[in-house]
Amino acid sequence: MTDDADPYLWLEDVTGEEALDWVRARNAETTAVLTDGERFETTKARLLEVLDADDRIPYPRRRGAYLYNFWQDAAHPRGLWRRTTLEQYRTAKPEWTVLLDVDALGESEGENWVWKSASVLKPDYNLALVELSRGGADATVVREFDLRTGEFVADGFTLPEAKSRVSWIDGDSVYVGTDFGEGSLTTSGYPRIVKRWRRGTPLAEAETVFEGKPEDVSVYAYRDHTPGFERDFVGRFPDFFTSEEFAVTPSGDLARIEVPLDANVDVHRDWLLITLRSDWTVDGKTYLSGSLLAADYTAFMAGGRDLTELFVPDEHTSLSGTAWTRNHLILAELSDVKTRLEVLTPGPGEWSRAELPGAPEVGSADVIDTDPDESDEYLLNVSGYLQPATLLRGEVGGDLETLRQAPAFFDAEGLTVEQHFATSDDGTKVPYFVVRGADTSGPTLLYGYGGFEVSLTPGYSGGLGRGWLEHGGTYVVANIRGGGEYGPAWHRAALRENRPRAYEDFAAVARDLVARGITKPERLGMQGGSNGGLLAGVMLTRYPELFGAVVSQVPLLDLRRYHLLLAGASWMAEWGDPDDPADWAYLSGFSPYHNVHSGTKYPPVFFVTSTRDDRVHPGHARKMAARMIELGHSPHYYENIEGGHGAAADNSQRAFMSAIVYEFLLRTLA
């Protein structure tokens, strides 16, 4: 199907009246069918209880002397930005100082504000750059906020709605990349130019410090505010997986950090960390893809190549993250998708290493915050499929303290977690987790993502427990290629023309579930969102016989035009360039929009998206549903009018969106 032959291009007009009339009609059809029963209402109410629960963990971020938190509940659906002290946080009912009430702000200004983020200026932490979104979109409005007065700064730094990048230089200047007008954005819709903007001057007079190319994904600039190590860096992302970073010298020149384009770098005090995505040969020695290397920053920038291997993967392990404290480096590693934590300490000779306590046997442990400028404090969130989250605080070398324990939202008695391995078409062993009870006669839901080097690790979900497990459902997570569970090679194995390996992996897990007697095809549903929504579309069109139901959320489905829609061009390194005949030759083989036909029996399918998703265009889901209807099929479709890429802007919307999906699955599979 060419663009000229595409009869549904009009559905790409996001807020066009004709398109929205079509959306409202589909929404009405779906809600009439799926929301008219007692089970739906009960599930929605119980999911909202989870989301609004007063005793869930208020996850903090340390900024100086305070712990900051963003909190949403029934009384504050759009949320409160607030802070407290560690001493108060340790108490059962901390006293919070509310800095910004987003509901009250939206009401007073007549805006549909959704909180996005806040960047607080070090080292005094008195000023913040607050980002607010209309309806949950990625594009934000930036406004300067004074943490001493609790007010927005009159005539402070403000930016109109755009996909901006903004960060503090000092109290009177910021780095800003935004929509400066024609030619200032990349083809992906992100900033191409970054400028230094001084307080009290018009944005139009801001000084350009770095420019990327139109075909880049984006550019950036930031200041390292570490006391005694203040440095400025600029860089660009040529594509989603590569970056070119430069240190700004005292004279204003740019000195490139000479590492492979696909490596990630991190500078902390004296140290440069290099995470490799591909093998790198330096002075005759080859460092393996997935390795973490360390070098003295000053010596490296002067041409030295004395590199220390801090982590080297094997066939079972990968590095999932790093976090600096003042004097130590914490490594989070995966061993067959189970977390292991290490703490490394640089010394005058070798780095010393020790195991960091806290990781569960089967589950995940995530370092959610550290205090790298001032102390060796770290905050650790630990959970598993059946283990509610625990928030731990430690200081490297000391004991762990339990700060918060999340409640159990569902009865896990009799439920078990197992890990199995399926064999894909090319012989690759693909791990997957199964959460189930002794009775497996109920429906099974298989979830996957498989893209962008994202790892799916075990974690607790009260909503999943109430919406699915308590109804006798079995839940399965497939760790297919394209993800990061086994490092960059696991991701690279499903890039571009190799993307079908991810789909073969997922299909192999579906077959393995049947072979083990865990489920049957007619009782097996699958679910995925974003890149996982594409996965769902491929399962629907290429493997319809394996599933009894498919849920495709905020999906990419038209691979002929995805690079022309919103941020789509930024993902061509993942899938390919449809305008290149060689790339389209393989993309056309699995683009769901181009592989749905009349006369083929498809399992029931539910497409879910959001009008305000300005990352993955809602036109993908709209056009796919319209095409299926034209061909005589009966897809379910629901589009939240706000919500962004998460498809919901507040907890009430999140509960509704989850409940309607669970209702579809239970009706279809049970």
Side-chain angles (χ1 to χ4, degrees):
M1 183 194 307
T2 64
D3 288 356
D4 293 339
D6 186 346
Y8 297 112
L9 288 178
W10 57 276
L11 285 171
E12 294 179 3
D13 185 0
V14 176
T15 56
E17 275 308 308
E18 186 180 8
L20 287 179
D21 285 346
W22 181 92
V23 167
R24 295 184 187 103
R26 302 293 80 72
N27 284 357
E29 292 168 357
T30 297
T31 54
V33 172
L34 295 178
T35 67
D36 62 347
E38 181 179 342
R39 181 174 59 192
F40 168 79
E41 290 297 334
T42 300
T43 300
K44 182 178 71 169
R46 299 194 72 227
L47 295 183
L48 188 57
E49 285 176 1
V50 172
L51 294 168
D52 282 343
D54 290 335
D55 54 354
R56 70 190 191 278
I57 297 176
Y59 287 103
R61 285 198 62 188
R62 178 178 286 283
R63 293 179 172 116
Y66 292 100
L67 299 180
Y68 288 72
N69 166 258
F70 183 72
W71 181 261
Q72 292 174 284
D73 58 24
H76 310 93
R78 293 304 167 98
L80 303 171
W81 188 38
R82 58 189 190 170
R83 70 183 183 186
T84 191
T85 63
L86 175 61
E87 291 69 29
Q88 278 293 320
Y89 193 88
R90 286 178 167 129
T91 67
K93 293 186 177 181
E95 293 182 6
W96 293 93
T97 299
V98 174
L99 300 167
L100 186 63
D101 183 328
V102 180
D103 295 271
L105 179 70
E107 183 175 353
S108 68
E109 297 183 346
E111 290 278 10
N112 182 22
W113 289 131
V114 173
W115 173 266
K116 281 294 181 177
S117 68
S119 173
V120 183
L121 174 62
K122 296 180 179 182
D124 296 329
Y125 300 95
N126 289 330
L127 297 172
L129 297 170
V130 169
E131 296 193 43
L132 299 167
S133 158
R134 290 185 174 94
D138 282 357
T140 61
V141 169
V142 179
R143 296 163 72 172
E144 185 180 1
F145 189 86
D146 192 322
L147 292 161
R148 296 159 296 191
T149 64
E151 302 284 345
F152 286 109
V153 178
D155 300 322
F157 292 111
T158 61
L159 291 172
E161 186 175 63
K163 291 185 179 181
S164 302
R165 284 181 177 268
V166 59
S167 63
W168 289 104
I169 300 174
D170 54 41
D172 289 315
S173 55
V174 298
Y175 285 123
V176 57
T178 191
D179 187 349
F180 295 110
E182 184 176 355
S184 66
L185 299 179
T186 67
T187 53
S188 298
Y190 295 104
R192 188 187 67 79
I193 301 169
V194 64
K195 300 186 179 187
R196 180 184 292 108
W197 183 18
R198 302 184 190 280
R199 184 180 298 282
T201 64
L203 179 61
E205 295 180 6
E207 172 193 358
T208 297
V209 296
F210 188 71
E211 293 191 40
K213 301 175 181 178
E215 63 271 21
D216 287 344
V217 173
S218 67
V219 299
Y220 59 91
Y222 67 95
R223 169 162 290 182
D224 179 352
H225 290 93
T226 304
F229 295 88
E230 293 85 355
R231 292 175 283 227
D232 292 84
F233 299 92
V234 298
R236 66 187 187 98
F237 294 102
D239 63 39
F240 201 89
F241 305 110
T242 61
S243 61
E244 187 177 39
E245 186 155 316
F246 303 84
V248 181
T249 68
S251 64
D253 295 330
L254 301 183
R256 183 169 182 264
I257 302 177
E258 297 285 350
V259 299
L261 280 177
D262 63 350
N264 290 329
V265 296
D266 174 49
V267 179
H268 175 74
R269 308 182 77 84
D270 296 312
W271 297 101
L272 170 68
L273 296 185
I274 306 165
T275 307
L276 298 180
R277 277 201 177 100
S278 57
D279 293 353
W280 186 31
T281 301
V282 181
D283 293 340
K285 178 176 173 58
T286 298
Y287 300 93
L288 296 180
S289 167
S291 295
L292 176 68
L293 312 177
D296 178 279
Y297 173 76
T298 302
F300 187 91
M301 295 302 289
R305 291 299 179 264
D306 185 6
L307 302 170
T308 300
E309 293 175 299
L310 301 183
F311 176 85
V312 180
D314 59 31
E315 61 181 0
H316 294 285
T317 63
S318 67
L319 183 67
S320 64
T322 63
W324 281 104
T325 68
R326 172 66 176 78
N327 300 295
H328 307 275
L329 177 66
I330 298 173
L331 304 188
E333 304 160 13
L334 292 180
S335 177
D336 285 329
V337 206
K338 304 179 187 74
T339 302
R340 177 171 179 260
L341 298 172
E342 282 191 290
V343 58
L344 279 61
T345 305
E350 295 184 356
W351 291 55
S352 63
R353 64 178 63 223
E355 186 170 341
L356 193 72
E361 185 175 338
V362 178
S364 61
D366 300 305
V367 179
I368 63 168
D369 200 18
T370 61
D371 187 20
D373 290 343
E374 301 295 335
S375 75
D376 290 320
E377 175 189 71
Y378 62 96
L379 298 180
L380 195 64
N381 189 62
V382 178
S383 72
Y385 290 118
L386 303 179
Q387 177 185 346
T390 300
L391 179 62
L392 304 168
R393 178 188 177 274
E395 294 190 25
V396 174
D399 295 330
L400 278 173
E401 168 192 6
T402 299
L403 288 180
R404 282 286 186 278
Q405 173 71 58
F409 287 110
F410 61 91
D411 184 3
E413 184 70 29
L415 297 176
T416 61
V417 178
E418 308 159 5
Q419 187 183 42
H420 299 293
F421 291 81
T423 303
S424 195
D425 292 4
D426 63 358
T428 300
K429 299 296 183 182
V430 181
Y432 65 94
F433 290 100
V434 180
V435 185
R436 60 171 173 166
D439 181 5
T440 57
S441 62
T444 296
L445 177 59
L446 173 58
Y447 181 84
Y449 186 77
F452 296 93
E453 210 173 320
V454 173
S455 302
L456 300 183
T457 54
Y460 189 83
S461 169
L464 172 73
R466 290 187 171 192
W468 188 251
L469 297 175
E470 285 189 348
H471 292 279
T474 293
Y475 183 63
V476 183
V477 174
N479 300 113
I480 61 177
R481 281 174 287 184
E485 288 86 351
Y486 291 100
W490 194 248
H491 169 239
R492 197 162 48 245
L495 271 182
R496 295 172 50 83
E497 66 271 15
N498 294 319
R499 174 60 49 171
R501 302 297 85 75
Y503 308 138
E504 291 164 5
D505 289 358
F506 199 82
V509 173
R511 295 189 189 101
D512 203 58
L513 290 168
V514 174
R516 292 180 186 274
I518 294 174
T519 192
K520 299 176 181 177
E522 62 270 20
R523 302 182 75 77
L524 176 59
M526 72 79 51
Q527 179 182 24
S530 192
N531 172 73
L534 170 58
L535 169 69
V538 175
M539 292 302 110
L540 176 74
T541 53
R542 182 174 279 198
Y543 300 98
E545 74 283 356
L546 298 182
F547 301 97
V550 171
V551 177
S552 180
Q553 296 171 290
V554 289
L556 289 104
L557 297 167
D558 178 359
L559 296 185
R560 184 68 188 88
R561 287 179 53 77
Y562 84 88
H563 63 315
L564 305 176
L565 302 174
L566 298 175
S570 65
W571 309 318
M572 288 194 290
E574 181 80 10
W575 298 305
D577 180 358
D579 290 337
D580 183 331
D583 287 6
W584 178 240
Y586 66 78
L587 286 168
S588 62
F590 58 81
S591 174
Y593 187 54
H594 298 85
N595 286 279
V596 62
H597 307 289
S598 62
T600 301
K601 183 180 180 183
Y602 296 111
V605 59
F606 190 4
F607 298 106
V608 179
T609 190
S610 164
T611 310
R612 288 294 291 168
D613 188 347
D614 57 352
R615 192 180 314 172
V616 176
H617 199 292
H620 286 278
R622 292 176 181 180
K623 296 199 306 179
M624 186 71 174
R627 177 74 172 147
M628 292 192 74
I629 293 169
E630 173 200 337
L631 295 173
H633 307 294
S634 301
H636 289 286
Y637 184 91
Y638 190 84
E639 180 176 320
N640 194 20
I641 301 301
E642 59 185 14
H645 194 50
D650 57 38
N651 287 344
S652 179
Q653 291 178 21
R654 293 183 187 101
F656 176 91
M657 299 295 279
S658 293
I660 199 171
V661 167
Y662 287 131
E663 182 64 23
F664 163 76
L665 289 166
L666 289 170
R667 287 194 188 195
T668 306
L669 299 173

